[in-house]
């Protein structure tokens, strides 16, 4: 790839949230100017899905997911049939984001675990990979992944902030691990250790925009144009070049979300 311009894919962002949707044409222009060839616009509620899909239908480099985030409350509850219907659309590349979050919500969360199981079943049936969010719930997340045979669908542990041991368990299930801008934060030594440990063919990068802007953009609204900063920090940590991280993670993203075509 000598002399080729660096390329990136933002494997996880939320372009349909108001912070980015209100200025979407400029956000996409800045993304393209940075060599970010594609982005997965991740759905967090069924109510949001029509907007997520509409953007993916309008923009050739934007793809959609279908799912309901574990922190989404007071919204329509998905069942397997509903998710399977959404999954048939060729611009939908994944089921999620789904998973467990015991950090933000502390009430009894059986509904959250049931919602997670529904997503895994839909992924296994549809053949689409899972986008999994886990926070303060790693043991239950891995347990349910095993019980529901999530390895059959495969997928990614997104915005990874867990231990090396959890990373190893997810890799053993055949999952990819996606590193966000958190890796650029000074106090994120554990994420930096994980970033060094992930095999090069299982690593993805993401912004999780509009949240978690990487250094040196902290304090700003995050956007896909900032994903090269994530690649840059991983390059420093691994002793590889930023271009190599960008190339390799782009290939990995296309291997995982195989409805993406560049
Ligand atoms: Ni997200």
């Amino acid at each position: 790839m000598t002399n080729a311009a660096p390329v990136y894919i933002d494997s996880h962002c939320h372009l349909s949230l108001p912070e980015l949707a209100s200025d979407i044409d400029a956000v996409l222009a800045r993304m393209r100017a940075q060599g970010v060839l594609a982005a997965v616009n991740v759905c967090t509620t069924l109510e949001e899905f029509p907007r997520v899909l509409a953007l993916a239908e309008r923009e050739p480099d934007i793809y959609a997911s279908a799912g309901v985030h574990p922190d989404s409350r007071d919204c329509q509850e998905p069942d397997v049939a509903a998710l399977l219907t959404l999954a048939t659309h060729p611009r939908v590349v994944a089921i999620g984001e789904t998973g467990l979050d015991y950090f933000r919500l502390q009430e009894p969360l059986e509904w959250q675990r049931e919602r997670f199981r529904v997503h895994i079943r839909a992924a296994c049936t549809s053949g689409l990979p899972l986008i999994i969010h886990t926070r303060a719930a790693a043991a239950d997340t891995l347990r349910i992944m095993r019980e529901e045979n999530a390895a059959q669908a495969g997928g990614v542990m997104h915005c990874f902030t867990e231990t090396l041991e959890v990373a190893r368990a997810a890799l053993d299930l055949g999952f990819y691990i996606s590193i966000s801008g958190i890796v650029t934060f000074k106090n994120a030594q554990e994420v930096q250790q994980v970033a060094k440990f992930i095999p090069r063919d299982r690593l993805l990068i993401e912004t999780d925009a509009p949240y978690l802007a990487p250094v040196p953009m902290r304090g700003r609204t995050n956007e896909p144009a900032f994903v090269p900063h994530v690649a840059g920090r991983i390059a420093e940590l691994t002793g590889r070049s930023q271009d190599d991280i960008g190339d390799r993670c782009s290939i990995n993203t296309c291997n995982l979300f195989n409805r993406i075509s560049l």
Side-chain angles (χ1 to χ4, degrees):
M1 297 287 276
T2 32
N3 299 324
V7 298
Y8 306 93
I9 295 178
D10 186 351
S11 74
H12 189 117
C13 58
H14 300 281
L15 298 173
S16 297
L17 295 184
E19 295 93 323
L20 295 169
S22 59
D23 193 27
I24 191 65
D25 291 338
V27 166
L28 295 179
R30 289 193 292 269
M31 167 184 134
R32 290 160 186 156
Q34 294 303 317
V36 182
L37 299 184
V40 180
N41 186 21
V42 175
C43 180
T44 61
T45 63
L46 295 179
E47 289 82 350
E48 182 193 27
F49 180 79
R51 281 180 285 132
V52 170
L53 182 62
L55 190 67
E57 287 183 311
R58 193 184 82 192
E59 305 292 343
D61 48 0
I62 303 298
Y63 295 84
S65 75
V68 181
H69 194 288
D71 289 331
S72 296
R73 300 299 310 271
D74 305 316
C75 61
Q76 203 184 320
E77 196 60 39
D79 58 23
V80 174
L83 291 172
L84 287 176
T85 301
L86 304 182
T88 59
H89 197 289
R91 302 296 293 178
V92 173
V93 302
I95 299 293
E97 69 181 275
T98 183
L100 299 176
D101 191 327
Y102 298 168
F103 181 80
R104 272 176 240 182
L105 302 171
Q106 272 103 27
E107 75 219 65
L109 292 171
E110 191 49 39
W111 62 268
Q112 213 183 58
R113 291 184 283 275
E114 183 55 30
R115 182 186 287 176
F116 185 28
R117 290 180 191 279
V118 163
H119 283 78
I120 298 173
R121 289 169 196 161
C124 289
T125 304
S126 68
L128 290 184
L130 287 155
I131 297 171
I132 295 182
H133 166 114
T134 185
R135 190 159 183 211
D140 277 4
T141 299
L142 290 167
R143 176 177 60 80
I144 291 173
M145 287 168 72
R146 293 190 185 104
E147 286 173 4
E148 297 289 340
N149 194 21
Q152 185 193 321
V156 56
M157 310 300 285
H158 108 90
C159 194
F160 196 83
T161 54
E162 300 294 333
T163 62
L164 208 52
E165 194 189 347
V166 174
R168 205 175 270 127
L171 290 165
D172 285 347
L173 288 169
F175 272 65
Y176 290 72
I177 294 181
S178 180
I179 297 292
S180 72
I182 291 175
V183 76
T184 67
F185 300 173
K186 220 179 238 149
N187 61 359
Q189 284 97 350
E190 192 156 48
V191 174
Q192 291 160 4
Q193 284 304 113
V194 170
K196 282 199 267 191
F197 170 77
I198 302 167
R200 54 187 264 113
D201 61 349
R202 300 281 205 92
L203 174 68
L204 305 188
I205 51 175
E206 66 173 84
T207 59
D208 207 12
Y211 313 113
L212 298 169
V215 174
M217 302 299 181
R218 285 204 80 175
R220 293 176 54 179
T221 300
N222 200 4
E223 56 180 69
F226 298 166
V227 80
H229 296 293
V230 179
R233 185 71 184 105
I234 297 173
E236 286 174 5
L237 290 165
T238 57
R240 291 152 56 193
S241 73
Q242 182 173 326
D243 291 8
D244 177 55
I245 300 289
D247 285 348
R248 187 64 239 185
C249 292
S250 298
I251 293 166
N252 296 344
T253 305
C254 293
N255 286 342
L256 174 63
F257 302 129
N258 60 30
R259 285 181 179 172
I260 295 182
S261 58
L262 297 182

